[in-house]
Amino acid sequence: MAKPTRARNARGSGAAGKSAKSYVHEQTSPMRPDVGTQAQFRKKKPPVTYRYDSSLSPSLDWDGQNGARELGEWLLALIDEAARIDPPHVFDQPREFRAADGRVVLSIGSLQDAVAELKTLGIPFLNWAGKAERLSFDVPTLPLFIHERLSTKAIVETLVGHRRGKQIDLFSLYGDPQHSITDQVLKAYEYQDNWVNRMILGDSLVVMNSLLQYERLGGQVQMIYIDPPYGVKFGSNFQPFVRRRDVSHNDDEDLTREPEMVKAYRDTWQLGLHSYLTYMRDRLLLARDLLTPSGSVFVQISDENLHHMREMMDEVFGADSFLGVIAFAKTSGLKSSLLASSADYLLWYARDPDNIRYRQLFIRRPGIDDPTERYICVETPNGEVIDLSYGQKTGGGSIPEGRLLKLSDVTSQDPVAALRYEIDLGGRTFVPSARRHWSTHRDGMNALITAGRIHAQGNNLWFKRYFDDFGYKPLGDIWTDVKTNAFGDPRYYVVQTGTSVVERCILMTTNPGDLVLDPTCGSGTTAYVAEQWGRRWITIDTSRVPLALARQRLLTATFPYYQLKDPKRGPAGGFVYARKQNKKGEEVGGIVPHITLKSIANNEPPEEEVLVDRPEVDTSVVRVTGAFTVEATIPTPVDWESDGIEDSGSEQAQSYGSFVERMIEVLRRSPVLHVGGGRTVKLANVRPPAKSLSLSAEALTTNGDEKPVAFVFGPENGAISQKLVHAALQEANLKGYSHLYVIGFAIQPHARDVVEKAADMGLLPATYVQATPDLMMGDLLKNMRSSQIFSVCGLPEIKVHKLAPEANGGSPRYQVELLGLDTFDPTTMEVDHRPGADVPAWFLDGDYNESAHFKVSQAFFPRTGAWNDLRKALKADYDDSVWDHLAGTKSAPFEAGEHRQVAVKVIDDRGNELMVVKPLG
Ligand SMILES: C[S@@+](CC[C@H](N)C(=O)[O-])C[C@H]1O[C@@H](n2cnc3c(N)ncnc32)[C@H](O)[C@@H]1O
């Protein structure tokens, strides 16, 4: 019988056929833009509308506006009709229920289906403000632009000249990049079809929509790990700086006292919990579309909203897709006058519970772990079996020397006659009690007796299950051994998840080579663990600070090299597992025999369990993170010949118009531009200018004398162009403003040049102000008065040194030095110089191609021990000077490439990326 099918049913309810609208992917959908191809993506696709089924809106009153009454009446009529058909009451053709716009919402095949569906209308569910009104929502459809390509191997290879005792000819090295010298010691996993892992800046909703629409990744993700803001203390929990982790739960007041803060994320929502639930439900709906049929999703949450989140996930995934709640010990328990809270939770749901991919994980059994368990005994060397007392089991009394075992019943339920034979042992005869039978046949029982596995106690026989038959137990749903910082898990981010938590989720629900997604990247724990375990990954964050941390964490990480079964297939071919014992005879390999009653009784070799977390390791190899990209919904800041406001056309122009209105509102509520070092530009009277061609807003600055200033906003999904800056400068100059502020999410290098040089060109002075990308999260966010939304960013100052060729007659070489970061204070007209050695990170592209992404050829993390792991791992191979160099401000020498220009990108304390481009010679 066909199951009823429902179109994008967001209520789930656990009834058959929930959520069956299939995702339609365009056959011709283009892939993400790569080298030089951005132009073709300038044409935006229309936004996608995601619908919650109107009949499933939360107000259950049948007279409401939500269509529940119509659906209910339709189902009653169907039941009436079907009851008149002969059993089993199946319609000749499924009956379809259509929404007002003609979409098929539900399809019903039989009387039984109709009754089941009618019942779901009566299931209670969670309601919140705004839910009933949100029957659908639109998500802009944007391509994802590659901003950077990073590869640890490539970076280390540029330093190959520093290898201990070896002078390598760089030229010959690059002549044969396939077999570079580093390949012997330094490896990264590679995937089929040139798959490259991805770190994406943007709102998770928009990015997931891009993955579905542009990249056809619907139904391809094996596991999604979501660690969202917990939806508590709205206005807290963010990390302002790349290097500081000591901030949490600040209130608005604190923010004003520490004006340098930028919110790495702002769980500040206009309607508090109500907005939070809306935000989560939308994202869960798209996440579900990305999952493979055998896929899993985990949501990390605290006890405060666990219950709401579970209700909501029941709606989106279906109650029968719920697979478990895992309680895990959190890093710092919160003190309380009542019960201390010491756990966070993972809610685990399947895309389809009948199809779930699952691998049992095992943990070592730590001797006697449950003293309340009965029949735990010791068998002494002379064969005596001693039942241990509670005191002995809890360490209160000494345990005699011998082998630990547990006595377990050798009978099973029901009086199966053929298995109720007599057994003679030690001069006594045993039969199972009246309602039971022996668990094995007579030969099997004899084999157990011969193996010394049967023990007579009282009137019963018992099977002796030695603890060392299998020294492991299946992992359950309470994880107490996973705190961050335990086992040297370094801490990068204020709200970081312990690697072992994510590791278990990944190992339990994915195979090597599978794709894992985390739309709440933070410091990149999921990406890091996925990288370690040879899973492909995509991770998303709306803020720059966490992405800067995640990028550094991955770029500088080292991992064990798990041997591949089929190197040609990469990790997707699986890892090698082997059976191994140490000197004490303990099983230490990834394959462990599991001796059972059955294997002894049937005289079979014991079954083998694979401990998926113990593959064979090749210790001669240092493994580093494979190549990955940094991408964003904002295009790469290249100089297109565009107006900077996306395509013309009324729809775009309209959307820019409403974006400008929103930005003016934000500026009104947060009328402060942050310069750094605690200094600010304060604004008053922010409003749209009268009759303006290019300007977006005007205001008065209130530092000292009031002065009129003008603003121009860059596009919502693009970088500010030179043309836009020119036009705004001309107009602002003509109208007599004292300063122009150019505000955007990204700016093209030449446009930035014009901004910096405006005053020198005889125009008014101008300043580039970067807007935090989480503004793109739309109307959900309440824009707090004092949060750091707009910041004046510095400009990297670099010097290019020309060096002599390496060999006579060779090409000249170049070396780039980062002198520092200059920030111009628009109020004092002074420049604040920050030395290069003080920036958190800087990257060099030694052959920058303007129409493509930034290719990181060298990466520097001044004054941090970022490269320490790699330094330790490669101690024998590289001079110490290499690592000092990687923490410094001067690049390794390099020859000019095809494009004869370099680009330097500096990551400032607030995670902002600041770029300069310079020609070579
Ligand atoms: C609790 S943290 C995740 C921490 C992470 N598990 C780790 O181990 O570092 C949540 C992250 O989600 C990000 N975030 C919040 N809302 C987002 C959205 N709409 N889109 C993308 N990222 C978002 C925040 O910037 C923050 O970094």
Side-chain angles (χ1 to χ4, degrees):
M1 196 180 300
K3 280 181 168 186
T5 54
R6 206 181 241 299
R8 196 170 296 291
N9 170 344
R11 176 165 158 223
S13 79
K18 64 204 170 310
S19 54
K21 180 176 169 204
S22 60
Y23 205 91
V24 183
H25 299 282
E26 264 188 37
Q27 292 306 306
T28 52
S29 101
M31 293 300 285
R32 68 201 141 118
D34 206 336
V35 192
T37 59
Q38 283 94 336
Q40 75 191 71
F41 289 94
R42 293 178 56 210
K43 188 111 194 84
K44 267 209 272 181
K45 287 189 175 201
V48 176
T49 303
Y50 290 85
R51 276 177 224 283
Y52 293 108
D53 191 330
S54 59
S55 64
L56 300 172
S57 89
S59 38
L60 246 190
D61 63 81
W62 277 27
D63 289 326
Q65 299 292 310
N66 53 40
R69 182 173 57 79
E70 286 84 349
L71 178 67
E73 283 173 357
W74 181 75
L75 287 167
L76 285 173
L78 276 198
I79 289 168
D80 190 28
E81 181 190 344
R84 280 180 258 127
I85 310 173
D86 288 340
H89 310 290
V90 178
F91 297 121
D92 50 353
Q93 289 217 345
R95 303 293 194 257
E96 290 176 340
F97 183 74
R98 288 174 187 272
D101 62 5
R103 278 174 312 116
V104 176
V105 182
L106 182 66
S107 157
I108 294 283
S110 68
L111 174 78
Q112 207 186 343
D113 287 353
V115 172
E117 197 55 44
L118 192 58
K119 279 187 184 162
T120 68
L121 287 183
I123 291 177
F125 48 85
L126 185 64
N127 196 5
W128 64 82
K131 186 180 184 189
E133 294 77 24
R134 198 173 174 83
L135 298 178
S136 69
F137 58 99
D138 288 351
V139 188
T141 308
L142 307 173
L144 299 171
F145 293 89
I146 300 178
H147 284 229
E148 286 166 27
R149 247 170 221 282
L150 298 113
S151 152
T152 308
K153 249 181 88 175
I155 291 169
V156 174
E157 277 177 359
T158 58
L159 302 166
V160 79
H162 296 254
R163 254 173 86 104
R164 249 183 228 293
K166 294 185 189 148
Q167 279 308 313
I168 306 292
D169 175 358
L170 281 175
F171 210 73
S172 69
L173 173 75
Y174 290 117
D176 185 10
Q178 297 295 311
H179 295 97
S180 70
I181 194 88
T182 42
D183 275 355
Q184 296 150 26
V185 277
L186 203 70
K187 283 191 182 165
Y189 287 146
E190 281 169 19
Y191 297 91
Q192 287 174 306
D193 303 325
N194 297 322
W195 168 273
V196 172
N197 293 320
R198 310 166 63 177
M199 207 173 263
I200 307 172
L201 175 72
D203 178 8
S204 49
L205 193 67
V206 177
V207 176
M208 286 194 283
N209 186 41
S210 303
L211 297 179
L212 289 163
Q213 294 296 325
Y214 268 102
E215 316 208 6
R216 292 192 235 151
L217 283 180
Q220 310 240 5
V221 179
Q222 191 61 39
M223 193 275 251
I224 302 183
Y225 192 93
I226 308 181
D227 172 17
Y230 285 169
V232 293
K233 299 198 182 167
F234 294 92
S236 69
N237 252 348
F238 59 88
Q239 180 172 329
F241 296 121
V242 176
R243 280 193 195 136
R244 267 180 39 196
R245 299 184 306 269
D246 53 351
V247 190
S248 63
H249 296 313
N250 286 283
D251 63 22
D252 217 16
E253 285 313 303
D254 288 334
L255 278 172
T256 42
R257 263 180 273 124
E258 298 209 43
E260 279 259 334
M261 284 184 188
V262 172
K263 293 192 147 210
Y265 72 82
R266 196 180 296 136
D267 44 358
T268 304
W269 319 89
Q270 207 134 36
L271 298 175
L273 185 55
H274 300 273
S275 299
Y276 177 74
L277 293 171
T278 300
Y279 155 97
M280 280 308 300
R281 187 170 69 139
D282 293 353
R283 280 157 185 79
L284 288 170
L285 192 71
L286 271 71
R288 196 196 61 176
D289 278 342
L290 285 162
L291 284 178
T292 59
S294 58
S296 290
V297 60
F298 293 89
V299 173
Q300 181 180 328
I301 193 79
S302 71
D303 52 6
E304 275 139 298
N305 283 321
L306 172 66
H307 56 311
H308 291 322
M309 191 66 84
R310 179 157 176 197
E311 286 268 15
M312 193 161 56
M313 291 183 79
D314 275 359
E315 286 188 18
V316 177
F317 290 89
D320 54 352
S321 293
F322 168 74
L323 299 182
V325 190
I326 295 158
F328 68 94
K330 63 181 164 194
T331 311
S332 47
L334 289 183
K335 287 203 192 82
S336 156
S337 57
L338 302 173
L339 283 180
S341 149
S342 58
D344 278 334
Y345 300 87
L346 290 174
L347 281 163
W348 177 24
Y349 278 77
R351 178 71 178 89
D352 172 2
D354 298 332
N355 244 313
I356 187 77
R357 171 166 297 165
Y358 176 64
R359 302 211 168 255
Q360 178 66 58
L361 301 188
F362 295 96
I363 50 174
R364 197 179 274 285
R365 186 188 285 275
I368 301 165
D369 55 346
D370 179 5
T372 62
E373 209 178 346
R374 293 186 64 194
Y375 307 120
I376 302 288
C377 310
V378 161
E379 186 176 49
T380 61
N382 61 17
E384 199 185 346
V385 174
I386 302 168
D387 199 353
L388 297 178
S389 67
Y390 184 79
Q392 283 174 309
K393 285 187 276 192
T394 49
S398 69
I399 297 180
E401 196 189 324
R403 229 171 139 190
L404 276 177
L405 61 88
K406 171 165 171 144
L407 295 178
S408 51
D409 204 347
V410 269
T411 65
S412 309
Q413 252 182 4
D414 300 326
V416 180
L419 293 173
R420 289 184 48 78
Y421 49 88
E422 292 184 343
I423 295 176
D424 295 326
L425 189 74
R428 293 172 60 193
T429 301
F430 296 86
V431 280
S433 59
R435 289 161 182 258
R436 300 182 75 81
H437 64 269
W438 297 119
S439 301
T440 181
H441 45 80
R442 188 180 283 278
D443 287 350
M445 195 57 99
N446 288 338
L448 290 171
I449 292 169
T450 310
R453 287 292 184 136
I454 297 296
H455 175 70
Q457 185 163 302
N459 290 330
N460 296 323
L461 292 184
W462 303 85
F463 173 66
K464 290 193 277 186
R465 190 162 53 72
Y466 293 106
F467 273 39
D468 53 19
D469 282 348
F470 183 59
Y472 297 86
K473 61 176 188 177
L475 177 69
D477 57 5
I478 297 183
W479 301 352
T480 52
D481 52 349
V482 291
K483 286 187 189 175
T484 336
N485 283 348
F487 316 112
D489 216 3
R491 190 86 188 272
Y492 301 89
Y493 195 35
V494 64
V495 283
Q496 183 174 334
T497 309
T499 44
S500 45
V501 174
V502 182
E503 180 170 71
R504 285 178 178 176
C505 297
I506 287 186
L507 291 175
M508 227 158 63
T509 58
T510 66
N511 288 339
D514 281 348
L515 179 56
V516 172
L517 167 74
D518 185 341
T520 52
C521 172
S523 58
T525 305
T526 305
Y528 174 88
V529 175
E531 183 70 41
Q532 167 166 359
W533 289 101
R535 271 63 170 176
R536 293 174 297 140
W537 52 265
I538 300 177
T539 189
I540 307 165
D541 205 293
T542 187
S543 293
R544 295 178 192 272
V545 167
L547 278 191
L549 296 169
R551 173 173 47 199
Q552 171 174 337
R553 185 178 184 187
L554 277 136
L555 203 58
T556 58
T558 57
F559 306 103
Y561 186 87
Y562 305 124
Q563 290 175 29
L564 301 177
K565 253 198 221 149
D566 180 357
K568 273 200 291 310
R569 290 186 59 203
F575 297 139
V576 174
Y577 291 88
R579 187 168 170 203
K580 291 201 295 207
Q581 288 172 314
N582 64 12
K583 283 197 192 118
K584 287 194 258 169
E586 291 162 348
E587 299 289 340
V588 291
I591 295 180
V592 177
H594 189 167
I595 300 166
T596 56
L597 179 151
K598 189 167 148 262
S599 65
I600 303 170
N602 294 340
N603 207 9
E604 290 165 350
E607 275 179 25
E608 289 182 331
E609 305 283 4
V610 177
L611 308 188
V612 284
D613 55 344
R614 284 216 312 229
E616 288 299 286
V617 174
D618 181 344
T619 51
S620 70
V621 173
V622 174
R623 183 161 71 89
V624 291
T625 299
F628 63 98
T629 55
V630 176
E631 302 174 30
T633 46
I634 310 165
T636 350
V638 295
D639 286 318
W640 291 334
E641 290 202 0
S642 76
D643 53 9
I645 312 176
E646 302 162 344
D647 300 68
S648 46
S650 60
E651 199 187 309
Q652 257 89 16
Q654 253 175 28
S655 118
Y656 179 68
S658 70
F659 171 67
V660 167
E661 276 168 30
R662 233 170 69 213
M663 292 292 279
I664 292 179
E665 186 54 32
V666 173
L667 202 55
R668 249 188 218 135
R669 289 209 222 170
S670 182
V672 186
L673 312 177
H674 296 263
V675 185
R679 284 159 300 135
T680 54
V681 179
K682 297 198 180 74
L683 306 169
N685 293 357
V686 180
R687 61 180 184 202
K691 288 195 200 146
S692 168
L693 288 173
S694 311
L695 300 174
S696 314
E698 61 178 17
L700 293 174
T701 47
T702 57
N703 308 53
D705 295 342
E706 287 190 351
K707 285 186 191 145
V709 293
F711 296 85
V712 60
F713 296 126
E716 184 173 11
N717 298 304
I720 296 165
S721 69
Q722 205 175 334
K723 203 169 158 188
L724 181 75
V725 175
H726 265 305
L729 273 172
Q730 298 297 349
E731 188 178 339
N733 202 45
L734 216 88
K735 291 189 172 164
Y737 290 103
S738 66
H739 205 101
L740 173 70
Y741 290 96
V742 180
I743 302 187
F745 298 111
I747 185 163
Q748 296 165 0
H750 289 123
R752 177 86 202 243
D753 239 26
V754 177
V755 171
E756 299 300 322
K757 293 188 184 132
D760 299 342
M761 296 189 308
L763 296 166
L764 75 173
T767 302
Y768 171 60
V769 177
Q770 186 137 317
T772 172
D774 48 12
L775 277 180
M776 289 185 279
M777 268 206 303
D779 55 6
L780 271 180
L781 274 168
K782 176 175 152 196
N783 300 298
M784 284 173 58
R785 181 166 36 89
S786 54
S787 38
Q788 225 183 61
I789 293 171
F790 301 107
S791 40
V792 175
C793 297
L795 195 65
E797 197 192 343
I798 63 170
K799 187 161 188 187
V800 180
H801 303 277
K802 193 166 174 183
L803 309 179
E806 191 165 38
N808 264 350
S811 318
R813 294 175 309 153
Y814 298 89
Q815 185 176 37
V816 172
E817 182 178 2
L818 175 69
L819 300 175
L821 202 56
D822 287 342
T823 313
F824 178 72
D825 184 336
T827 53
T828 59
M829 307 296 245
E830 277 164 15
V831 173
D832 175 56
H833 179 79
R834 180 112 189 252
D838 242 11
V839 308
W842 68 281
F843 305 128
L844 168 72
D845 182 345
D847 186 22
Y848 180 61
N849 173 1
E850 216 147 40
S851 58
H853 47 261
F854 187 99
K855 190 156 178 269
V856 177
S857 58
Q858 303 191 33
F860 304 85
F861 301 101
R863 289 210 187 154
T864 67
W867 293 105
N868 280 356
D869 277 358
L870 206 55
R871 178 182 197 152
K872 243 196 288 172
L874 294 175
K875 204 169 171 44
D877 294 280
Y878 286 88
D879 284 339
D880 280 351
S881 62
V882 172
W883 312 104
D884 297 338
H885 167 83
L886 285 175
T889 56
K890 272 192 186 159
S891 78
F894 57 96
E895 287 175 11
E898 178 191 342
H899 302 95
R900 301 204 65 81
Q901 60 178 356
V902 295
V904 165
K905 194 187 262 189
V906 172
I907 311 296
D908 75 6
D909 277 335
R910 294 171 287 190
N912 292 313
E913 297 175 4
L914 314 158
M915 194 163 106
V916 281
V917 179
K918 264 223 164 120
L920 289 178

